[in-house]
Amino acid sequence: MSVLITGTVALDTITSPVGKCHQALGGSASYASVSASFFTPVNLVATVGKDFPKAHIQLFKRKGIDTQGLTIKKGKTFHWEGEYGWDFSDARTLATHINVLSQFNTTLPKDYTKSKYVFLANIDPQMQATVLKQVSSPRFVICDTMNYWISNARKHLVRLLKKIDMSLLNESEARQLSGQTNIMKAAKALLKLGPKILVIKKGEHGAIMFTNNRVICVPGFLLEDISDPTGAGDTFGGALVGYLASRSGNNLANLKSAVVYGKIMATFAVEDFSLRRLISLRKSDISKRFNEFRKFSCF
Ligand code: AMP
């Protein structure tokens, strides 16, 4: 079953302690779509400018991503500049150029309105809501966001959370949105805002999935070499929704496996700049890492 993914399709300029990339393919929806495409067909909804390289659109198509929902507007593509220090933790944003995103008011292609699995990757919550509103009867909706939107669009974000099934946040976002410092208390407060399931992403240390009566911890997979952590969270979300759609069922066993596949895909994303590693990835690489992950996390 195909998934609908919306978010940013961007050109990123990134500096990390091991290198730099300039105006490279990025954006929450790019990472999420390429990641999900390893599990299921993807319908991508996003807006880019006329400067967006055709080669990137060809790449999406090669990965089985439908680009009917990718609108090209007059103007420049969303551009983000960020840098990381040696601990590769939170990115420092150097510049955000919204550019054509100020014109995002997409009408979904008719087929997409019947989507059952939807991933609202990180973008303005009002834009996420505009897309979701057009989907007639979604079965499972996942929503990601970031500190910027929690600070600047809280009211819209809180309204959106009432309409979704799963919320993805990192630890600091969970604390910021809930107003609680203790992570258990934060999770309880966030579940009261609407989502039935909350996943708190803990970077290289794993993820915790909370429902009203369960807490499930998934460990991280430690890598020796990281180049660029950009897009790890989006890659995680893309694999999660893609896996669930491929299974057509949201039972606990599928949800747990989906989080594990999310973590595994994120470990690939950070091995190189931009989407380079995801582009060269083969399905056999994923199964190999899944088996290694199973071995060290089993007790
Ligand atoms: P992540 O590392 O998972 O937080 O996502 C990084 C991606 O998000 C980059 O490729 C950026 O182009 C994109 N991005 C940066 N700022 C924003 C924003 N305010 N809203 C949506 N996407 C953003």
Side-chain angles (χ1 to χ4, degrees):
M1 189 179 291
S2 58
V3 294
L4 186 155
I5 295 181
T6 193
T8 48
V9 168
L11 295 173
D12 287 348
T13 296
I14 295 156
T15 310
S16 92
V18 299
K20 189 173 168 93
C21 68
H22 182 69
Q23 297 267 355
L25 177 60
S28 58
S30 304
Y31 283 99
S33 297
V34 172
S35 176
S37 73
F38 283 90
F39 302 92
T40 205
V42 176
N43 296 331
L44 168 64
V45 177
T47 301
V48 291
K50 288 223 188 283
D51 60 341
F52 190 68
K54 300 263 177 315
H56 295 337
I57 301 180
Q58 293 308 325
L59 165 77
F60 289 144
K61 289 184 176 160
R62 277 203 306 281
K63 291 285 170 195
I65 298 167
D66 189 294
T67 56
Q68 278 179 80
L70 183 68
T71 313
I72 302 172
K73 291 248 164 90
K74 206 168 150 199
K76 283 191 168 177
T77 302
F78 178 84
H79 177 220
W80 179 72
E81 285 182 43
E83 71 175 9
Y84 299 88
W86 269 112
D87 67 352
F88 289 99
S89 59
D90 287 344
R92 198 162 81 83
T93 293
L94 303 176
T96 303
H97 303 279
I98 297 283
N99 296 335
V100 291
L101 271 200
S102 57
Q103 308 169 46
F104 185 109
N105 62 348
T106 300
T107 303
L108 295 190
K110 198 154 175 273
D111 290 356
Y112 292 18
T113 61
K114 300 191 190 85
S115 302
K116 295 294 170 206
Y117 287 81
V118 179
F119 180 30
L120 308 170
N122 182 28
I123 198 167
D124 184 338
Q126 291 188 79
M127 297 175 186
Q128 293 173 315
T130 304
V131 170
L132 184 59
K133 205 166 57 190
Q134 297 174 62
V135 182
S136 52
S137 54
R139 190 179 299 163
F140 199 78
V141 182
I142 305 177
C143 174
D144 194 7
T145 192
M146 70 185 289
N147 51 5
Y148 181 85
W149 303 117
I150 299 172
S151 304
N152 297 306
R154 174 182 285 266
K155 196 177 73 188
H156 297 287
L157 179 62
V158 168
R159 198 177 297 152
L160 180 67
L161 289 179
K162 295 191 199 324
K163 299 183 186 138
I164 64 154
D165 298 280
M166 179 189 271
S167 166
L168 308 183
L169 294 166
N170 67 30
E171 267 183 290
S172 63
E173 291 159 357
R175 292 193 171 104
Q176 186 188 357
L177 184 57
S178 65
Q180 296 284 348
T181 47
N182 175 280
I183 217 69
M184 286 298 282
K185 286 186 181 156
K188 280 189 184 163
L190 292 166
L191 287 172
K192 284 195 186 127
L193 293 180
K196 295 180 235 1
I197 306 168
L198 166 72
V199 177
I200 297 192
K201 301 170 283 180
K202 291 169 66 69
E204 61 181 338
H205 303 297
I208 314 176
M209 179 163 62
F210 297 88
T211 68
N212 275 325
N213 55 8
R214 275 179 191 268
V215 179
I216 292 147
C217 296
V218 173
F221 184 92
L222 294 174
L223 297 170
E224 282 190 36
D225 297 308
I226 297 176
S227 292
D228 170 19
T230 308
D234 313 313
T235 305
F236 172 82
L240 205 158
V241 73
Y243 179 84
L244 286 178
S246 74
R247 294 282 147 158
S248 300
N250 317 323
N251 57 45
L252 192 64
N254 284 346
L255 284 165
K256 282 188 199 171
S257 299
V259 174
V260 170
Y261 275 110
K263 287 308 309 174
I264 287 169
M265 292 302 287
T267 65
F268 289 117
V270 304
E271 285 180 337
D272 204 343
F273 281 84
S274 178
L275 278 86
R276 284 181 211 156
R277 182 65 184 109
L278 291 181
I279 292 165
S280 66
L281 194 66
R282 290 165 306 175
K283 283 196 172 162
S284 56
D285 299 323
I286 303 173
S287 337
K288 191 163 163 256
R289 195 161 283 180
F290 183 89
N291 289 333
E292 289 171 43
F293 191 87
R294 195 203 295 267
K295 254 191 240 155
F296 90 77
S297 60
C298 198
F299 63 91

